[in-house]
Each structure stands twice: as C-alpha cells, then as structure tokens.
C-alpha cells in the first residue's frame, strides 16, 4: 500500500485487493453511477475485482489513478478520488466517487483539494479537467467551490459539462 496524500480526515492511497468489499459498495451502487454511466454499475465481486485490478495497473503505468479514499477515524474506504488522462492526455481529468453514506459531509471537497495539490506539486500538471453531468448539482458545487471554471457542454445534445482548473492560480493564491 502506498499513501499518496493525507488530509485532516482522509488518507488517499493505492487500492488493495482487501478493499474489494468497499470497492463494490461504491461502484456497485446505481445511485453512485447515476450521473456517470448507469450501465457501468459493477454487478458482482468478479467484475469489481477486475475493475480494481485495472486501477492498480493504471497506477503502475501512469503514476496516478482514482485512489482509495480512507476515512481516518474508522480506517474504512469511503470513496475514490484521483485522475486519469483526459481523452488520452496530456491533460489530467479529475474523477471522484463516494459511497452514498458519506455524501454531504465535505469529503469530496477535501479529497479533491488534496488531489489538486498533489497534481500540481508531484505530477507537474499545469491544468486539470473535470467532466460532470450537468444535472449533478452536488458535484458542480464541489468543483465551483474549489475554483474550477465551467467551460460549457461538449455538444448541445450532450449532458456532460466540462470544467477547467489552472493549478498555477492555486499556487498564486497560496502565496498571497
């Protein structure tokens, strides 16, 4: 297990096969997938294991993935937050998903902030993109609170809205 970054309440780390139960709880929940891909819900442990192992391989290949988000107080995986290459790269795309039980507690905002710092400081990413369903208001609030700028929908009949974050602006704000 490799710890990527820690916050006051969270640890972001690489996935372990022991995380399979929590992984399936997150990615097997249709409500979690509601705005992502309703057909992408993991239906069983075999599918979850394959998906988790693909994430481990992605981490090995790229040095980042959607890391496990662990609540420090309980030591339990409550979500995932991290990156993949946006449309093949070189930009990074921010991705986050949390178990329903942990929605509305500020964990997404806390994890996203930590990931953005990591991307800027360790990965040298000058900009980050996030794509969300325009009806996902909770996710939109997280992105806007952190300073992502809406870029509009990729096409008029597509509900996916892209957001942009410039990591150099975050550095400037920290210096002031």
């Amino acid at each position: 297990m490799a710890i990527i970054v820690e916050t006051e309440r969270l640890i972001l780390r690489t996935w372990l096969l022991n995380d399979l139960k929590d992984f399936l709880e997150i990615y097997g929940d249709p409500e979690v997938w509601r705005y992502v891909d309703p057909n992408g819900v993991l239906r069983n442990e075999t599918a979850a294991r394959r998906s988790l192992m693909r994430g481990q391989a992605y981490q090995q290949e790229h040095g980042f993935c959607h890391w496990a988000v662990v609540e420090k107080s309980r030591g339990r995986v409550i979500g995932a937050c991290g990156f993949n290459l946006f449309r093949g790269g070189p930009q990074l795309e921010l991705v986050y998903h949390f178990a329903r039980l942990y929605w509305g507690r500020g964990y997404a905002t806390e994890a996203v902030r930590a990931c953005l710092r990591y991307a800027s400081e360790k990965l040298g990413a000058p900009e980050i993109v996030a794509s969300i369903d325009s009806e996902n208001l909770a996710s939109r609030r997280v992105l806007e609170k952190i300073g992502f700028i809406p870029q509009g929908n990729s096409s008029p009949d597509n509900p996916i809205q892209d957001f942009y974050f410039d990591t150099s602006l975050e550095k400037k704000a920290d210096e002031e």
Side-chain angles (χ1 to χ4, degrees), residues 9-149:
R9 301 182 298 163
L10 306 172
I11 296 171
L12 280 72
R13 63 163 173 77
T14 54
W15 288 97
L16 306 171
L17 283 178
N18 291 346
D19 297 326
L20 192 58
K21 180 180 175 239
D22 293 329
F23 189 88
L24 186 56
E25 181 180 327
I26 297 161
Y27 291 106
D29 183 344
E31 260 317 287
V32 172
W33 280 96
R34 180 175 167 200
Y35 296 114
V36 182
D37 176 7
N39 298 316
V41 175
L42 298 177
R43 306 264 182 233
N44 56 50
E45 199 171 290
T46 302
R49 183 183 314 282
R50 273 196 305 267
S51 183
L52 191 147
M53 292 174 75
R54 274 194 308 272
Q56 290 175 322
Y58 199 91
Q59 171 70 32
Q60 287 294 318
E61 182 179 351
H62 299 287
F64 55 84
C65 68
H66 313 157
W67 298 299
V69 177
V70 179
E71 184 183 39
K72 282 182 177 179
S73 65
R74 292 192 178 105
R76 180 157 186 215
V77 175
I78 62 169
C81 188
F83 306 101
N84 51 259
L85 293 173
F86 182 66
R87 298 182 183 153
Q91 291 175 311
L92 297 182
E93 179 179 33
L94 173 70
V95 177
Y96 51 93
H97 304 108
F98 285 83
R100 228 184 317 170
L101 181 62
Y102 300 95
W103 291 358
R105 298 183 186 192
Y107 289 128
T109 302
E110 189 172 332
V112 167
R113 280 193 173 117
C115 279
L116 293 175
R117 277 192 305 281
Y118 184 86
S120 175
E121 295 169 7
K122 304 290 186 194
L123 302 176
E127 58 189 39
I128 309 291
V129 175
S131 299
I132 63 166
D133 187 301
S134 56
E135 293 182 13
N136 189 343
L137 300 180
S139 205
R140 180 184 183 95
R141 280 192 299 274
V142 168
L143 294 176
E144 289 178 342
K145 185 186 318 182
I146 291 170
F148 274 78
I149 301 164

